Amino acid sequence: MTADDIRRLCALLYRHTGMIFGESKRYYIERRVADRMAATGAQTFPAYLAHVEADGGEVEHLINIFTVNETYFYREEHQLSCLSRSILPAIVQNRKPGDLVRIWSVPCSTGEEPYSIAVWLLENWPLVDAYHIEIIGSDIDTRVLLEAQDGNYGERALARLPQEVIERYFEPLRDGKRRLIQDLRESVKFTAANLINPASVAAQGKFDVIFCRNVLIYFDDASRLMAVNNLYDALHPEGYICLGHTESMTRISKRFDLRRFEDAIIYQRPGKDRDG
């Protein structure tokens, strides 16, 4: 691929995902593009790019191979602790038993994060059965959503879970993997969503809590602000959002309030809207 080829591909990826790639990632880019060229039979990069522009389905395949899917159960566990100890009690104090509480994990990759939320609440929040908890996992990568629905996980994904939790919620080891029990697989709904597309985010509905961790670091300032504004709109007033430990909402937008809880720093949409 020429330098111009790299620029054209990176512009296409940025336009569709908000993620930033460039010449410094040439090897990473060329390897993935070569896989898709082989799959489509394209002999040259210009021929492949023409195919991408003519076939919306190939855009999806291209996005799928460029997304980063590093995840495991109970990642950044302190935020899960904050969810059960501080966030959910604050949310339900003005609600009655049986009311709906919606939690969104985006991006959810292969499902470890939304399933972690479900397992954690069963293990650590005594009121979990008193409310209608709806957990949605979303990702731009349609391939990983299928893996998430299957719920099969290897040793590395499960490494941070206590053994008794593994035994309680996962089927016995087979072919080096364990499968999440059916009740839990059915407790999480998976959907495709693009954080920089307002319509795509709005289609998910409104949430009380959003986990959006370790994805904004791949965006530039413009796409990061676009994603954050879409997430703001996806939250109910006074709803909460959890970012990754290297991410700071205060550097992106002034629309959220910073909340310091016992276990974690979380951001909250205020009850009254503000610009910024």
Side-chain angles (χ1 to χ4, degrees), residues 232 235-240 254-259 267-275:
Y232 182 94
L235 277 173
H236 287 300
E238 300 186 356
Y240 299 86
K254 295 182 175 64
R255 301 179 77 185
F256 293 83
D257 293 328
L258 185 149
R259 299 293 308 277
Y267 301 92
Q268 184 177 27
R269 174 175 170 166
K272 183 177 180 181
D273 287 347
R274 68 170 72 107
D275 296 328

Side-chain angles (χ1 to χ4, degrees), residues 25-262:
K25 296 286 183 77
R26 170 178 283 274
Y27 177 70
Y28 179 89
I29 292 168
E30 287 185 330
R31 252 190 331 153
R32 282 154 178 75
V33 171
D35 289 343
R36 290 313 306 164
M37 287 176 63
T40 58
Q43 298 299 308
T44 65
F45 176 74
Y48 174 68
L49 192 60
H51 175 66
V52 171
E53 291 170 345
D55 182 353
E58 183 56 30
V59 173
E60 183 177 306
H61 288 302
L62 186 65
I63 290 170
N64 287 353
I65 63 172
F66 274 91
T67 52
V68 178
N69 296 304
E70 168 67 20
T71 185
Y72 46 85
F73 279 85
Y74 280 14
R75 189 179 189 182
E76 300 191 36
E77 186 177 319
H78 63 286
Q79 290 185 344
L80 296 174
S81 181
C82 186
L83 177 67
S84 58
R85 192 199 307 258
S86 303
I87 294 175
L88 287 176
I91 289 170
V92 302
Q93 65 180 349
N94 296 317
R95 301 190 188 182
K96 61 183 184 297
D99 280 356
L100 177 65
V101 176
R102 300 190 79 226
I103 302 173
W104 192 22
S105 169
V106 57
C108 69
S109 187
T110 44
E112 287 91 332
E113 182 168 299
Y115 287 140
S116 286
I117 294 168
V119 170
W120 181 271
L121 293 183
L122 286 169
E123 289 291 301
N124 296 282
W125 194 42
L127 296 179
V128 64
D129 291 325
Y131 296 89
H132 178 194
I133 308 296
E134 185 175 77
I135 301 172
I136 309 295
S138 301
D139 206 286
I140 195 173
D141 185 340
T142 54
R143 176 190 52 186
V144 297
L145 292 174
L146 294 175
E147 293 184 39
Q149 289 168 340
D150 285 341
N152 290 297
Y153 299 102
E155 182 178 338
R156 185 176 182 279
L158 303 175
R160 293 183 62 92
L161 288 178
Q163 188 60 37
E164 63 270 20
V165 170
I166 294 175
E167 298 298 332
R168 195 150 40 240
Y169 299 108
F170 291 83
E171 295 171 0
L173 193 66
R174 177 182 293 181
D175 298 326
K177 291 190 173 183
R178 286 179 177 265
R179 193 178 196 195
L180 197 69
I181 60 173
Q182 184 175 349
D183 281 353
L184 270 179
R185 295 199 310 272
E186 293 176 349
S187 73
V188 177
K189 178 183 177 183
F190 291 97
T191 66
N194 184 339
L195 285 176
I196 66 165
N197 184 319
S200 177
V201 173
Q204 313 305 319
K206 296 282 190 178
F207 294 91
D208 298 290
V209 186
I210 296 176
F211 285 81
C212 180
R213 306 191 294 189
N214 307 304
V215 66
L216 298 178
I217 53 176
Y218 297 102
F219 293 0
D220 69 353
D221 289 345
S223 55
R224 195 176 291 126
L225 181 59
M226 188 182 306
V228 163
N229 284 335
N230 291 336
L231 290 167
Y232 182 94
D233 291 338
L235 277 173
H236 287 300
E238 300 186 356
Y240 299 86
I241 183 167
C242 303
L243 301 184
H245 72 279
T246 63
E247 299 167 317
S248 171
M249 185 66 78
T250 55
R251 299 173 188 167
I252 306 169
S253 171
K254 295 182 175 64
R255 301 179 77 185
F256 293 83
D257 293 328
L258 185 149
R259 299 293 308 277
R260 297 182 184 274
F261 290 110
E262 182 176 350

